Structures are given as structure tokens and as C-alpha cells.
Amino acid sequence: MMFEVSTAYNARNSDPKQIAQSFVKPADFEKIIGFQSKVLVGPRGIGKTTILKLLTPSGLHELKKRCDFRDFKLDHVPLYIPADTLWKGEASAFEGMQSLGRANINAETIRFIQNALFVDYCLYEVIASVQDAAEIACEYGSDKPDWCIDISPSVEANICENCADFWGLPTKPKSFLGLRLALLKRQNRRSALINSLDDPDFSRIAAEEPLDLFIMLQGFFTIMEDLTGVKKWALHFDEMEIAPQFILASIYERLRSFDRRAVIKFSLFPYIDFVREDESARITPREGHDFETITLSGKFKNENYQFSSELVAKICEGQGINIADFVDYVNSAADQATISFDNKGHRKRNYQAIFRSLAKKDPSFTAHLSAHGIDISRIQRYTEGDKAPTVRKLGGISEFRNHYLRSFVNGRGSKLSRKSYHYFNNYDQLLKLTEQNPRAVHFYCDDIMRCMIGGKPAQGALKSVIEKNVNRFRALVATQSVPFDPINNKMSHVLDV
């Protein structure tokens, strides 16, 4: 057993190899990887970055080593473009200049420079993905997967020279490293102006030819098709809610029509208002026609929690912990297993155990059962029609009353102080608490494993772990603001609402 738990909460901090080794396939995985444009929507931690980072040459190479993915196929080269908080930082720097009166720049200049930074950043990541695809190709013989690119040094030099010329770089590097450094150098020159302590002179940059990312990419596809024969690409834009709104809208518009050789896939935090519908606009893409939205979120009804269960097993495997021991430890924190879930996710309650336990503590409950002709010993033989009025209406309140009540003394109930967090029942309920959110699964598992390895009693452990993660979730929800309230003259957050 390992004595140090180090599960990764955020795929942004994990490399594709780590992600591939512990990856659990979500329900819509086959749809996501198809050669069609997609918009992946879901809350933080649901697995958007995990999926897009997995679909890189390094991630796919590692995934293919697993027995359950040995026959996995992808018929195009993925280009992974993660978001960068630099974009938000530069936008704030512009606002700071204007508020201090240090720079007389208009909105058009700001937009021009933000777009230029974004384009060079994306091109840098595109070349990084191509370099990854070329390096992974060396791991295969003649039967290379379609997501690899066989590139010789002479072809690499030819690609870099042509790209540098088309992208307007002042030098003509002959390697992917040189091309990436040239793009960084141009980025740095623009960033340095924005963050200058003196009033910057944007005239030289403003005089440059505007950059259009998708025209730059079309030229790149043409160069690659001519020199390597690759004809199918997928652009994977990750966490695009960080990007300036006009850039996000431009990517969205390209879902309608871009290039026959490429599809666009990008991930978004939900509730992002980035598109202004315009009745006069005829090129607005339509869901179902130009792209498909994949909602990555936990289902709350009739769910068997298979995804969460498989992910827990993978986490245990990675930490050298037997999954059965982990489940037993979690279950031992429950006072009594009065609830379970069948293989279709339907909840089942053991009403006999609940009623018997409460009847011993509460004479008034015994009297109620007698007055309504409810025989505890016969509950299992009741028809569905009999259970509805006699059992199910009592079930919920009886279960909680039984959990928190010690006994009746002199006609009064004595509340029982529990070491568990409110009402915790068993491992199945823990899976339900995660709501199929991978990061939530990691949060709970990591904390529980620390307690388990440290020999902490299960009841106290589950109390502290559940309480910590409930508060963590509340803090996350509280950060989501809602529109300004003009009546009370304040901003609110979701929990206020």
C-alpha cells in the first residue's frame, strides 16, 4: 500500500501520459472523437480538459498501450490549443492604461493587439502538436496511426520555412523549435509594449498587417498536405471562456464553414453568453446542422454511477489500494445500510430495518403503525399499491428520524449526536454525492484515502471529508455571479438567489 496520496485534481496540471493511464471512458466518448465539429459544455471538473488533452498524439499513444483501447482508431491529427490567462491579463493591462490616462488608445487598437497575441499563441500550440505527432511517429513502424505524421528533417525545414513566410515572421527557421521560438519572440514584443512602465507607442504594431487565425491555419493545412499528405485535422480549443469575447465569437462563427480538411472542437464552462444573435446574420451556425453540443454533466436520475465507480477503481489502482478494502472502509462509516442502488441506478430502501429500529425508540411511531394497520413483518409482501400510502409516505421522514433519534424518555425524544456528516448511508451514496463529476470523485477519494491510510476511524473520517467537500462546492458555486440587481444596487451570487 502506498503511503502518499497524490491524485491530480486538474487535468491542466497533468501530462497526457498520466491522463491516458487512468482514463475512464465517458458515455459520449465515441461522439466526441468523431470527425465533426463539437462544443463540449460542462461545469468545472467534469472532464473537458481531460478529454481534449487525452486526444493528443502523446495521450493517444499511451492510451493505445491499454488492452481496453488497443483497437482504438482516430482518422485525423488533433491540434490541442489550451487557453491562457495571458489574454485576460493583457485585457486588464489595457483597461489600467486607460483609467490612468497613460495611453491614448482606441478600442480598435486594443482589439488588433489582443487578436495578434491570440493568433501567435494558437500557431505556437499548433506547431507544438505537430512536433508531438512527429515524435510519436518514431515509435511506430510502417503501420503508423493516422494521428501520427512521418516527418524527415528536410521536410521539417521545408514546413517551417513556408509557415514562417506565410505567417509574416521576420526569420525563416528550419526546425519546429526555431519556429515556435520565433512566434514567442513576436508575442513577447507585443506583450512588452502592453506592460511597459512608460507610455507605449503602438504605432508600429498598428501598422502591421492584421492576422486572421483561420486564414493562417488554412495556409498551414495547404503546406502540410503538400509536404506530408495529411488531409484531416481537428482543432481542439480548450477553456475558451477565458478568451476575449470577440475571439470566442469568431471561433463559434467558423463552425458554420471553415475548411473541408478540418473540424473545430472547443470546450466551454456553461452559462457563457458569447454570441449575440442577430436576425440579419445569415452565417450563424446552427446546432444539429453545423455542430453538435455535448453536455458533460452528471445525470441525476436513473443513473447507475458506473463512470464514478470505474474512476474510483482506477484511482485505487494507481495508489496501490484494493478497491474492495476502500469500499468496506467507506461502508463502515454508515450506522446501517438502509439504502442501496440497483444496477440501473434506482434507489432501494430497506423499510423493514428502518421501521423496526424507529419503533423500538419511538412509542408514538409504533402507535401510528398500529392505527393504520401496518405490519412490519409483512412489508416485503405488500403490493406496490399497498406500499404507496402505507410505507413510502412514511419512508423518508422515518429514515431521518430514526437516524437522529436516540429514544423516547417520558414522552420526549432525545436527539443523538452523530459523528457522521448529517445523514451518510454507504458507498453508493458517496458515488451519488460526486454527481459523476471526475474532479469531485478525486476530491473525495484523495481525502478518504489519506484517512484510511492514516488509520483514522471511518465515521470521523467521512464526517470531515464530506463536510470539507460540501463547503468546497458551496465556495465554487458562490463565485458564480448573477446579473446586477438595480433594485438593491448590488451584485449577487448563485447561493443568494
Side-chain angles (χ1 to χ4, degrees), residues 12 49 52-53 55-56 78-84 87 117-129 213-214 217 220-221 234-240 243 247 251 263-267:
R12 175 178 274 273
T49 296
L52 294 184
K53 190 174 276 192
L55 298 177
T56 58
L79 302 171
Y80 178 59
I81 304 173
D84 195 320
W87 306 328
L117 285 167
F118 177 75
V119 170
D120 279 349
Y121 175 84
C122 290
L123 296 179
Y124 174 91
E125 295 295 343
V126 164
I127 295 303
S129 292
L213 173 62
F214 292 94
L217 289 172
F220 165 77
F221 296 148
L235 295 161
H236 293 177
F237 293 95
D238 192 18
E239 294 186 309
M240 279 296 108
I247 288 174
I251 298 173
V263 295
I264 299 172
K265 300 179 185 182
F266 65 93
S267 71

Side-chain angles (χ1 to χ4, degrees), residues 42-149:
R44 293 189 64 184
I46 202 67
K48 303 185 296 296
T49 296
T50 295
I51 291 171
L52 294 184
K53 190 174 276 192
L54 173 81
L55 298 177
T56 58
S58 292
L60 294 169
H61 176 59
E62 197 65 31
L63 190 71
K64 200 169 175 63
K65 294 178 183 178
R66 289 175 45 177
C67 295
D68 48 339
F69 284 95
R70 193 163 290 163
D71 297 328
F72 176 83
K73 293 186 183 300
L74 198 73
D75 64 351
H76 55 269
V77 179
L79 302 171
Y80 178 59
I81 304 173
D84 195 320
T85 52
L86 168 74
W87 306 328
K88 291 291 186 185
E90 305 300 19
S92 299
F94 276 127
E95 292 167 5
M97 286 180 191
Q98 291 176 310
S99 65
L100 294 173
R102 291 180 52 237
N104 184 20
I105 52 176
N106 56 35
E108 186 177 344
T109 302
I110 294 174
R111 192 180 176 109
F112 178 92
I113 297 174
Q114 282 186 313
N115 178 71
L117 285 167
F118 177 75
V119 170
D120 279 349
Y121 175 84
C122 290
L123 296 179
Y124 174 91
E125 295 295 343
V126 164
I127 295 303
S129 292
V130 171
Q131 188 173 357
D132 186 26
E135 291 171 356
I136 292 298
C138 298
E139 301 287 331
Y140 295 89
S142 56
D143 188 22
K144 291 181 176 63
D146 291 334
W147 36 266
C148 289
I149 313 175

